[in-house]
Amino acid sequence: MADHSPVWHPFTQHALAKPAIAIARGHGATLYTEDGRAIIDAISSWWVNLHGHGHKHISSAIAAQAAKLEQVIFAGFTHEPAEALAKKLIGIAPKSLAHVFYSDSGSTAVEVAIKMAVGAWHNRRRPRHRVIALEHAYHGDMFGAMSVGARGAFNAAYEPMLFDVSYLPFPAQGREQRTIDALASLLKSAPDGFAALIVEPLVCGAGGMKIYAPEVLTELAGLCRRHGIFLIADEVMTGFGRTGTMFACEQAGLWPDLMCLSKGLTGGFLPMGATLASAEIYDAFYSEDRRKTFFHSTSYTGNAIACAAAVANLEVFEREPVAARIAGIAAHHKTRLDRFRGHGRIADIRQMGTIAAIELAATDAGYFATLGPKLNAFYLQHDILLRSLGNVVYVLPPYCTSDAELDRIYDVIEESFSTIGA
Ligand SMILES: *Cc1c(COP(=O)(O)O)cnc(C)c1O
């Protein structure tokens, strides 16, 4: 159907897509359309929303900051929200991290981390350019971020322009040792070749909500440490409680050299990225030689309104029972997922904290599986926003989602499995 709007939407094939649904407002876990429907946002609007839409504490902080100072050049200048946010982030992050660099998105946070890792080796006069990544990885859609992600249909057009990366096989359950051995042998084969390993800790999100054991991460981190290569933890999706702990790194006792944050950073209100760096990384750029500067910026880096939103987001963690809500959602997931066990159509069931995933058995697996769009349309007809990744239906709700709302989401999913054919 023709969409007469000039807006070009992301990840949308406009020749096949229905006109976009106009959302007038949001409250809690619910989105209200312009024509009066109430849709439950079961995927936190692409994983960004934490405490619900329209959360008053965050929206008031944004309004107050906008009235005071919206933006100022961030080279040579600073402001209270940026300082407060950096202190708060360092306070909750793994103890290895001591510095905060602001940018605009998850992809930019990843680009910054890669540039910092490679730049640190350059400044040490021991240039290293190769990055190691995980099979099924997703780190964003910019060129550097695409390069360290899994290759496939999404980036096929750009493939010759992406830099070469070494991939470790995904540490699927029972096959963890294979991944650890692969890293060990890479590092042994070229001891001076690798700059960094980048991982999505515990959950490979866009790759299909694939989950792996914290023990693997601990082992991989140990190998990085022993061989002196940097570890980049991309917590863009897993950060801020999604996996049950503030950061997924905590579950593996991980002390990364670099950590990428975005998505939930502002509670889902404003675009913002942050790259946290260790003292060792920072020190590699700290010099009276101006050529060793970290030459990177985006115009809106350190935006005061985004910083104020992020501070307010972290305050919500302090003043509301967010940990209990997260635990409640995790328990609810478990109860409802257990009902799917033994279901004939289900190939795998996965859960990590507030993230639940159900992988359906289907012959045409993968992102372009025909099943996904059929399921998504069914969910929307029932006023539930879910967006399956190929054959993987997942629930990743805002933390304010009530038990009744979770039950509605799962009831509709259950119904879809008996109604929608493969
Ligand atoms: C979404 C995502 C990104 C990219 O973030 P954007 O803000 O969309 O650029 C990077 N890494 C991970 C793990 C993500 O889930």
Side-chain angles (χ1 to χ4, degrees):
M1 199 199 267
D3 181 353
H4 295 296
S5 161
V7 176
W8 191 341
H9 289 267
F11 277 79
T12 300
Q13 176 44 269
H14 281 283
L16 300 170
K18 293 213 174 83
I21 298 168
I23 300 298
R25 63 193 180 88
H27 181 74
T30 307
L31 296 166
Y32 297 90
T33 68
E34 279 185 355
D35 57 7
R37 285 167 67 195
I39 298 174
I40 298 181
D41 184 356
I43 58 163
S44 301
S45 278
W46 250 348
W47 324 347
V48 300
N49 191 282
L50 294 188
H51 311 295
H53 292 278
H55 194 287
K56 274 278 171 290
H57 185 64
I58 304 176
S59 63
S60 332
I62 289 172
Q65 185 58 46
K68 231 179 344 190
L69 171 72
E70 72 300 323
Q71 169 77 25
V72 64
I73 175 173
F74 208 57
F77 293 84
T78 193
H79 46 71
E80 197 271 329
E83 298 296 329
L85 176 59
K87 287 203 183 84
K88 273 190 181 296
L89 288 175
I90 295 304
I92 56 174
K95 293 288 161 265
S96 49
L97 301 165
H99 301 274
V100 180
F101 191 96
Y102 295 122
S103 62
D104 315 317
S105 68
S107 301
T108 57
V110 167
E111 300 275 335
V112 164
I114 296 169
K115 284 180 73 173
M116 281 182 176
V118 172
W121 286 110
H122 175 85
N123 284 354
R124 290 167 161 183
R125 300 197 194 292
R126 290 160 65 196
R128 294 179 174 206
H129 298 99
R130 212 167 166 92
V131 177
I132 306 171
L134 270 190
E135 183 190 10
H136 303 308
Y138 177 79
H139 297 290
D141 289 337
M142 296 170 80
F143 275 86
M146 273 196 293
S147 293
V148 296
R151 306 297 165 86
F154 298 162
N155 44 45
Y158 317 105
E159 170 76 32
M161 303 165 76
L162 305 182
F163 58 76
D164 258 355
V165 167
S166 302
Y167 293 97
L168 305 178
F170 182 78
Q173 203 185 351
R175 313 218 50 189
E176 289 92 349
Q177 196 56 43
R178 186 180 58 146
T179 309
I180 296 161
D181 292 345
L183 180 61
S185 83
L186 272 180
L187 295 175
K188 228 169 108 187
S189 71
D192 300 319
F194 295 102
L197 166 68
I198 183 166
V199 294
E200 290 162 90
L202 304 188
V203 187
C204 287
M209 297 297 162
K210 292 188 160 56
I211 293 172
Y212 62 96
E215 293 77 18
V216 187
L217 262 188
T218 313
E219 294 274 338
L220 297 177
L223 279 168
C224 289
R225 190 113 315 167
R226 252 169 283 146
H227 288 80
I229 78 160
F230 297 126
L231 176 63
I232 304 171
D234 178 355
E235 292 245 18
V236 169
M237 190 277 280
T238 52
F240 303 104
R242 280 297 172 206
T243 67
T245 47
M246 194 53 141
F247 298 109
C249 281
E250 292 166 31
Q251 297 184 44
L254 223 60
W255 284 25
D257 302 282
L258 291 152
M259 187 159 100
C260 309
L261 301 175
S262 187
K263 292 207 166 110
L265 176 57
T266 60
F269 275 68
L270 286 167
M272 180 178 212
T275 305
L276 276 54
S278 66
E280 187 187 348
I281 296 270
Y282 182 81
D283 289 347
F285 292 87
Y286 191 84
S287 164
E288 282 168 19
D289 180 353
R290 289 172 63 195
R291 276 166 300 201
K292 291 192 171 179
T293 305
F294 185 54
F295 293 111
H296 186 99
S297 179
T298 43
S299 305
Y300 281 96
T301 180
N303 176 260
I305 305 173
C307 286
V311 169
N313 167 45
L314 294 177
E315 284 169 352
V316 174
F317 278 89
E318 293 159 13
R319 46 166 82 190
E320 293 184 24
V322 178
R325 288 177 194 151
I326 288 171
I329 289 174
H332 203 115
H333 277 331
K334 188 173 179 321
T335 309
R336 293 300 302 245
L337 288 176
D338 279 343
R339 286 173 41 175
F340 288 117
R341 295 198 193 275
H343 193 293
R345 291 188 67 185
I346 292 171
D348 193 23
I349 294 173
R350 305 188 276 271
Q351 192 206 339
M352 178 66 74
T354 69
I355 305 166
I358 306 154
E359 183 164 338
L360 291 168
T363 43
D364 61 344
Y367 183 87
F368 294 100
T370 52
L371 184 57
K374 281 190 234 165
L375 287 170
N376 296 342
F378 179 86
Y379 300 138
L380 257 188
Q381 274 162 26
H382 290 80
D383 291 332
I384 307 288
L385 167 54
L386 285 165
R387 197 181 154 96
S388 63
L389 294 155
N391 292 334
V392 180
V393 176
Y394 69 91
V395 184
L396 195 153
Y399 303 152
C400 63
T401 310
S402 68
D403 282 331
E405 287 165 330
L406 285 170
D407 276 329
R408 262 206 56 212
I409 295 166
Y410 276 105
D411 288 347
V412 172
I413 292 176
E414 269 186 22
E415 198 187 330
S416 76
F417 292 170
S418 48
T419 313
I420 307 297

